[in-house]
Amino acid sequence: MQSNLEKQEIAKFLNISDEMALFSDIPAQYRKKEIRIQEGVSEYEVLEQARRIASLNSSAGMVNFLGNGIYKRIVPASVDSIIGRSEFLTAYTPYQAEMSQGVLQSLFEYQTFMSELTGMDASNSSMYDGFTTLGEAVRMAHRINERRDILIPENMFDDKLKVINSYLSGLSVRLLTYRVDQVTGFIDLNDIQSKVSKDTSAIVVEMPNSYGIIDENVLKVSQIKGDALLIAYVDPVSLGMLLPPGDYGADIVAAEGQQLGIHMNYGGPGLGILTFRKDYIRKSPGRIIGETVDNKGKKAYVMTLQTREQHIRREKATSNICTNQALMAIASAVYLGVVGPTGLKKIAQTTYVNSRKLKNKLSSLKAAGVPQLTGKPFSDVLIKFRTDVSQLQEFLAEKGINGGVPLQKLAAAPILIRNSAFFTATETTQENETDQLVSIMEVFR
Amino acid sequence: MSYHEATYDEPSIFTFRSGTTYKVPGSVTDSDIDLPQELIRKHLDLPEVSEYDVVRHYTRLSQMNYSVDLGIYPLGSCTMKFNPKYADKIAGMEQFYDVHPLQLASTVQGQLRIMYELQEFLKELSDMDAVTLQPLAGAQGEYTGMLIVRKYFEVKGELNSRTEVIVPDSAHGTNPASAAMAGFNVVEIPSAEDGTVDLEALKAAISEHTAAFMITNPNTLGIFEDHIGEIARLVHEAGALLYYDGANFNGILGITSPGLMGFDIVHFNLHKTFATPHGSGGPGAGPVGVKANLAEFLPVPIIGKDGDKYFLDYSPKHTVGKVSSYMGSFMVLLRAWAYIRFHGSDGLRRNTINAVMNTNYLKKKLENKFKIPYKSLKKHELVLSTENTGKKALDIAKYLIDNGVHAPTIYFPLIVHEAMMIEPTETVSRMDLDRFAEIFLESADVPEEELKKHPVNLPIGRPDDVKAARDLKVRWFPEK
């Protein structure tokens, strides 16, 4: 029985002498006999254990050249400070709008940031992560036009494809791949054109694409897509300098927003960004914040269009999503607020310039003495080598560097670029780090 | 107690013009960008705001919010318990958060150990045999579970005939939504008079077309489904699978388990039962546990251990593939690990007992004025109806929030008229329960026209939801 005085009073109030009387409705054969987990420990001990386990990670002293979706970028201290505030951190979904105006306005601002950044009319208030958002985007396209075929680039990463496939379970939808040129790294417009038909629901483009290339052909897809929908999967930081997808005809935009003020977090939590043309808002998944007025005419924010959602529409909902990534959405709003448009542009430009330097240095290595993709990388640099690269990441890790992920580990590696590996630059990449990488790579055969 | 939430007429961040103060290292200029002009963005209409203004703006907004750190947050089926600060501190360790998901396993042994141990904890607490940590929220856990159901019948060659998933009418909305999203037809069955699953209705609904039955136990009325053994027998005899919605796990954790009750698949809501902060709506995490015969269907990778080395295990033979980008919401998993380590076997069980005590305490107080339908003994939550008082659940909710406590979930479950679904959790003192009950009981005596005036102590009065849906203003625009 409880030693806690209040709990003893509660037991007395409930007229029970044994607190287990509260579980008398659980038949004896289902009672758990023991819990084979250690007994509880103090705060001091749990912190010590966590520190000891954290020290098993060897990454702290390592130089990072990994990317391909999650990036080591500068996270302004203000972002951690704001999302660490318990008023945001420990609140639930804003079901009671009157006592949650702060989070509602923050998410409304997030929606505005994302609409502007992607050049689209509207945004929801967040999805889980990049890949699941692309999965939902494809479902959304199918919901809009009920057509069968989704065209995707042949170089899309396996894991992204697997998540899309998961999201398409049970739908009569077919994924068709279109070619990517192995000399430029650009998508093949002729091949897309030959595959577009009256059954095409949507064409998925990536910008930069999965080879890391800023793809000039992506801008031209809207001219050949007919009335299929265009879904763009973009790098949100690149939009600080690159044409937004709204300007090249995208109907739906999906992105991983981790780069906008969120630490790498071993891949989670990240942020799923979903924006779209306003015509499709009622077909969209997820929570949307709308502006309205209160009973005295004062500006107010609420969750709106909830009749699309699972708690009301149940099996007819546009998605099952309930919990989303609200806190990470707030992080990205704070991030964009702090860095501003000139800051984001400079971060994008610095990334671009650093990745160009990285490409120049690495491609002058003896081991890389083969023609490289002519398309220009934004951040992820794919380098072709003369030799097998399947153990390159291990080779570098032993020397204190994270990087050199073989293409074949992430996606199908066609013959011309079979022996290729990724090295990623961001605004945090230092010249001496790049030099260190290059000097280590000089002995790689 | 008088109460007033902080109120600012806070302008949109898009109207601020204080000019950026942020410094980006490096010295690039437009001329360094050797790309075709048509690729270059011409304008980006974001505000230039000084960092001090951004921080003040979002700090003011944060203050126009209720949160668990302010007090009771009794949303039913949401398990809004206190989020421990030691978990924040652990999640703030750079060695954990400054880690890239594509790093080699040899460089992230700490992350993998945390995940492996959490898998083991969840297996033990649920009596399931294998766990994936990959799903990013409860609903995604359900979806993952439904994908496993599909794959299971696909491998058995029965997918074409197993087209239906049964859910009770008291189910969380995510259950039918997840089943439908995975391509199943949803069959809803009514509850019996005592609020539990109607066994006759279940028998009538179940057939060779049934793929799965999804329920939560305790159910959304806070009632333990004591016929669960019979339910499991019926479902399994029909060759179907039994799915456990873990949203209500806090009512039984450590006392019984889904595995003992005969469930095949379960999802956990780490942001509920295991006290990770809900972040104003997310992130959460929704790991899924399965019995041994379903382990080969789990998404990959799961975390394996070989001697004292941890590794990413891609071995599940009939894996459903992947359900999210990487290995799951690691920072959420880490906090849940810390919660379980801190409380341990003794504390976890104690928490459940205290949560159930608190629920029944509130029930006994509130039934003085409100009708509390169905079975008397509650677990993690209770559902009352305001109908007998002649008051609307919505009006009472507004009275509550106007008095500095969060309102319960309202108008759910759908089978109770004017429902208010109350889950106090174990982390509320008797003093706070008394105060909450006092305001609640008081509301029943406030004349209806008075009730309708609430709230007045919050930044806004009742919002016009119809206008919001009609005008669809979903982003800021400059004033014309």
Side-chain angles (χ1 to χ4, degrees):
Chain A
M1 199 61 195
Q2 306 263 1
S3 57
N4 178 318
L5 192 64
E6 278 196 338
K7 286 291 176 294
Q8 288 174 17
E9 291 164 5
I10 288 177
K12 202 169 163 194
F13 179 79
L14 293 174
N15 270 327
I16 50 170
S17 55
D18 176 5
E19 62 203 9
M20 290 314 288
L22 295 170
F23 298 90
S24 59
D25 48 358
I26 301 181
Q29 72 263 37
Y30 304 130
R31 297 292 179 90
K32 210 163 161 56
K33 303 212 167 42
E34 54 169 347
I35 306 171
R36 288 164 299 174
I37 290 176
Q38 280 174 287
E39 296 213 329
V41 296
S42 66
E43 169 175 312
Y44 178 77
E45 290 164 294
V46 75
L47 287 169
E48 277 306 301
Q49 284 182 21
R51 276 190 204 103
R52 266 204 311 279
I53 295 175
S55 72
L56 300 175
N57 287 337
S58 51
S59 49
M62 294 178 84
V63 180
N64 185 68
F65 287 98
L66 292 171
N68 299 107
I70 297 291
Y71 296 88
K72 185 176 175 69
R73 293 201 175 277
I74 298 169
V75 177
S78 296
V79 176
D80 285 338
S81 170
I82 293 295
I83 67 168
R85 292 189 66 85
S86 70
E87 297 92 331
F88 283 138
L89 182 66
T90 74
Y92 201 74
T93 303
Y95 284 136
Q96 293 294 336
E98 298 92 331
M99 77 188 325
S100 312
Q101 283 297 294
V103 68
L104 285 162
Q105 183 175 337
S106 302
L107 293 174
F108 184 81
E109 292 179 358
Y110 162 83
Q111 291 175 181
T112 312
F113 273 118
M114 293 308 142
S115 303
E116 281 294 338
L117 189 61
T118 58
M120 303 298 285
D121 301 328
S123 165
N124 75 12
S125 69
S126 72
M127 306 294 283
Y128 303 134
D129 68 10
F131 296 0
T132 62
T133 304
L134 184 55
E136 288 271 22
V138 170
R139 285 188 74 95
M140 180 175 161
H142 178 68
R143 201 155 47 237
I144 291 167
N145 59 23
E146 296 182 348
R147 295 188 194 167
R148 187 191 56 192
D149 294 346
I150 305 286
L151 269 54
I152 58 168
E154 64 177 357
N155 65 342
M156 182 179 276
F157 290 161
D158 290 342
D159 284 353
K160 205 185 279 175
L161 192 55
K162 282 181 185 155
V163 174
I164 294 178
N165 269 313
S166 291
Y167 272 80
L168 292 180
S169 296
L171 289 185
S172 38
V173 168
R174 189 170 70 158
L175 288 177
L176 297 177
T177 56
Y178 61 83
R179 282 203 293 273
V180 179
D181 187 82
Q182 290 177 47
V183 174
T184 58
F186 294 165
I187 57 174
D188 185 335
L189 292 169
N190 290 330
D191 195 46
I192 293 177
Q193 194 152 23
S194 74
K195 284 168 181 164
V196 171
S197 76
K198 61 176 179 20
D199 293 324
T200 309
S201 172
I203 302 167
V204 177
V205 295
E206 299 183 287
M207 184 72 155
N209 69 29
S210 278
Y211 292 154
I213 303 286
I214 299 172
D215 193 334
E216 297 170 18
N217 284 350
V218 162
L219 272 49
K220 299 168 191 153
V221 174
S222 64
Q223 297 159 22
I224 57 166
K225 74 179 178 64
D227 57 358
L229 297 169
L230 181 61
I231 300 174
Y233 189 83
V234 299
D235 173 327
V237 166
S238 75
L239 299 180
M241 64 177 258
L242 294 181
L243 197 71
D247 285 11
Y248 51 83
D251 297 288
I252 306 172
V253 178
E256 169 58 62
Q258 173 271 331
Q259 307 190 52
L260 303 175
I262 302 166
H263 295 284
M264 294 191 287
N265 292 342
Y266 197 45
L271 167 66
I273 299 169
L274 184 72
T275 64
F276 34 82
R277 285 175 39 195
K278 202 164 182 178
D279 313 347
Y280 304 135
I281 193 166
R282 285 171 204 279
K283 300 280 185 187
S284 69
R287 301 212 145 104
I288 296 177
I289 313 305
E291 187 187 304
T292 183
V293 294
D294 75 355
N295 52 0
K296 295 190 184 67
K298 185 182 177 188
K299 188 192 282 184
Y301 299 95
V302 295
M303 294 195 287
T304 192
L305 291 184
Q306 294 190 66
T307 49
R308 301 167 301 120
E309 293 188 57
Q310 47 76 28
H311 59 290
I312 296 182
R313 194 55 66 84
R314 298 174 78 83
E315 69 270 18
K316 295 193 179 61
T318 54
S319 170
N320 67 340
I321 192 167
C322 180
T323 285
N324 54 20
Q325 303 285 109
L327 191 72
M328 307 345 273
I330 295 171
S332 71
V334 177
Y335 176 83
L336 289 171
V338 168
V339 304
T342 50
L344 191 71
K345 182 177 175 184
K346 191 173 174 195
I347 291 164
Q349 290 181 332
T350 306
T351 299
Y352 175 75
V353 169
N354 285 348
S355 77
R356 187 177 59 203
K357 284 184 197 159
L358 187 60
K359 182 177 178 181
N360 288 344
K361 286 183 179 170
L362 288 170
S363 57
S364 64
L365 286 167
K366 255 201 186 103
V370 285
Q372 302 293 331
L373 292 177
T374 57
K376 290 169 175 145
F378 173 67
S379 177
D380 300 321
V381 181
L382 187 67
I383 298 289
K384 277 199 271 180
F385 292 91
R386 294 165 179 275
T387 49
D388 175 51
V389 290
S390 56
Q391 294 303 305
L392 178 57
Q393 199 179 350
E394 286 78 0
F395 168 82
L396 288 171
E398 277 171 23
K399 297 178 171 56
I401 287 181
N402 282 313
V405 181
L407 174 63
Q408 60 202 358
K409 195 171 158 184
L410 301 175
I415 187 96
L416 276 184
I417 48 176
R418 176 160 299 158
N419 294 319
S420 304
F422 281 107
F423 301 85
T424 297
T426 68
E427 80 278 15
T428 64
T429 308
Q430 303 294 312
E431 195 97 32
N432 62 337
E433 294 173 342
T434 308
D435 291 342
Q436 188 190 342
L437 170 70
V438 170
S439 78
I440 289 167
M441 285 300 295
E442 266 160 10
V443 300
F444 176 72
R445 292 287 181 268
Chain B
M1 174 179 128
S2 64
Y3 166 75
H4 217 86
E5 188 173 277
T7 301
Y8 302 92
D9 291 326
E10 186 62 20
S12 168
I13 188 80
F14 287 83
T15 63
F16 285 65
R17 289 289 176 267
S18 47
T20 187
T21 51
Y22 189 69
K23 299 188 215 172
V24 182
S27 56
V28 292
T29 60
D30 286 357
S31 59
D32 291 318
I33 308 304
D34 53 350
L35 286 169
Q37 272 309 303
E38 66 263 27
L39 279 165
I40 300 298
R41 180 165 207 149
K42 303 300 175 296
H43 54 86
L44 176 56
D45 283 335
L46 303 183
E48 296 277 7
V49 191
S50 63
E51 191 160 6
Y52 54 80
D53 261 349
V54 175
V55 169
R56 285 173 183 151
H57 171 70
Y58 286 108
T59 300
R60 287 191 293 258
L61 288 181
S62 78
Q63 291 183 341
M64 292 199 280
N65 252 352
Y66 191 78
S67 65
V68 160
D69 275 7
L70 285 175
I72 186 170
Y73 211 128
L75 285 169
S77 290
C78 298
T79 318
M80 289 294 282
K81 58 170 84 173
F82 175 67
N83 309 137
K85 302 302 174 190
Y86 56 79
D88 290 349
K89 195 159 179 176
I90 293 169
M93 293 178 181
E94 193 170 3
Q95 281 168 299
F96 282 127
Y97 70 68
D98 205 22
V99 177
H100 193 283
L102 295 180
Q103 279 181 229
L104 294 172
S106 59
T107 69
V108 291
Q109 286 292 299
Q111 315 290 96
L112 298 186
R113 176 167 163 185
I114 292 287
M115 294 170 78
Y116 181 85
E117 290 188 3
L118 182 60
Q119 284 176 187
E120 293 300 305
F121 289 155
L122 295 176
K123 277 157 67 174
E124 174 59 22
L125 292 169
S126 63
D127 290 300
M128 304 306 274
D129 299 312
V131 163
T132 169
L133 303 174
Q134 201 177 111
L136 300 176
Q140 223 208 4
E142 293 174 14
Y143 189 58
T144 304
M146 290 299 105
L147 294 179
I148 291 170
V149 171
R150 277 187 77 88
K151 198 79 184 185
Y152 170 76
F153 286 116
E154 190 185 309
V155 169
K156 281 185 86 177
E158 295 177 27
L159 187 58
N160 289 337
S161 58
R162 299 278 178 180
T163 52
E164 294 174 354
V165 168
I166 305 174
V167 298
D169 58 2
S170 62
H172 298 120
T174 48
N175 293 182
S178 300
M181 206 166 142
F184 291 109
N185 298 322
V186 176
V187 178
E188 195 176 273
I189 58 166
S191 301
E193 275 180 19
D194 65 355
T196 60
V197 169
D198 184 335
L199 286 177
E200 292 311 312
L202 179 62
K203 279 179 200 162
I206 237 167
S207 74
E208 70 276 15
H209 299 302
T210 307
F213 181 43
M214 298 178 88
I215 50 169
T216 180
N217 193 14
N219 66 22
T220 58
L221 297 163
I223 295 171
F224 188 80
E225 299 274 357
D226 51 357
H227 298 301
I228 189 63
E230 176 69 359
I231 291 169
R233 194 182 60 76
L234 287 170
V235 170
H236 291 145
E237 271 179 13
L241 296 169
L242 189 58
Y243 184 92
Y244 183 83
D245 171 350
N248 298 348
F249 199 25
N250 209 49
I252 57 162
L253 179 72
I255 310 290
T256 175
S257 75
L260 291 174
M261 292 188 272
F263 284 89
D264 302 295
I265 310 174
V266 45
H267 85 258
F268 308 87
N269 296 79
L270 301 187
H271 46 290
K272 298 180 180 179
T273 321
F274 300 99
T276 72
H278 207 281
S280 301
V288 168
V290 294
K291 285 291 191 186
N293 64 326
L294 298 174
E296 61 181 349
F297 300 103
L298 287 178
V300 289
I302 50 177
I303 312 304
K305 188 183 182 192
D306 181 12
D308 57 358
K309 289 277 176 251
Y310 300 89
F311 64 98
L312 298 173
D313 181 356
Y314 287 88
S315 70
K317 193 167 125 204
H318 296 298
T319 175
V320 298
K322 277 186 77 70
V323 296
S324 72
S325 299
Y326 299 101
M327 272 74 66
S329 209
F330 179 80
M331 303 315 292
V332 179
L333 304 175
L334 177 62
R335 288 170 186 269
W337 172 91
Y339 178 84
I340 295 171
R341 280 303 295 124
F342 178 87
H343 287 284
S345 52
D346 51 329
L348 292 171
R349 195 165 179 277
R350 170 61 54 207
N351 292 346
T352 302
I353 294 168
N354 288 350
V356 173
M357 278 191 125
N358 285 355
T359 308
N360 285 285
Y361 181 71
L362 266 189
K363 189 216 77 182
K364 194 165 175 183
K365 291 228 151 189
L366 295 176
E367 69 190 0
N368 285 328
K369 291 223 169 115
F370 296 93
K371 182 162 179 273
I372 300 181
Y374 304 116
K375 271 189 181 173
S376 171
L377 183 56
K378 307 296 179 189
K379 292 275 106 43
H380 63 297
E381 67 195 359
L382 71 109
V383 176
L384 61 75
S385 169
T386 64
E387 217 172 18
N388 67 301
T389 64
K391 307 286 157 56
K392 298 273 182 216
L394 179 72
D395 293 335
I396 290 182
K398 298 309 175 193
Y399 187 80
L400 289 169
I401 62 174
D402 219 9
N403 280 279
V405 292
H406 203 276
T409 303
I410 54 175
Y411 299 107
F412 189 86
L414 308 174
I415 54 173
V416 176
H417 292 158
E418 299 298 330
M420 299 189 85
M421 185 193 208
I422 309 167
E423 180 174 9
T425 82
E426 66 275 19
T427 58
V428 184
S429 66
R430 183 186 172 198
M431 201 200 288
D432 279 351
L433 290 172
D434 284 343
R435 186 169 166 270
F436 179 75
E438 192 185 318
I439 300 165
F440 217 125
L441 293 168
E442 196 176 276
S443 71
D445 297 329
V446 179
E448 196 180 355
E449 60 275 20
E450 278 299 309
L451 269 189
K452 296 232 179 269
K453 289 178 187 159
H454 291 279
V456 296
N457 295 321
L458 296 169
I460 59 163
R462 292 195 196 188
D464 186 343
D465 289 310
V466 175
K467 179 180 162 62
R470 190 186 56 223
D471 296 356
L472 276 185
K473 188 172 176 194
V474 297
R475 53 153 296 173
W476 178 87
F477 284 107
E479 302 285 337
K480 294 232 168 64

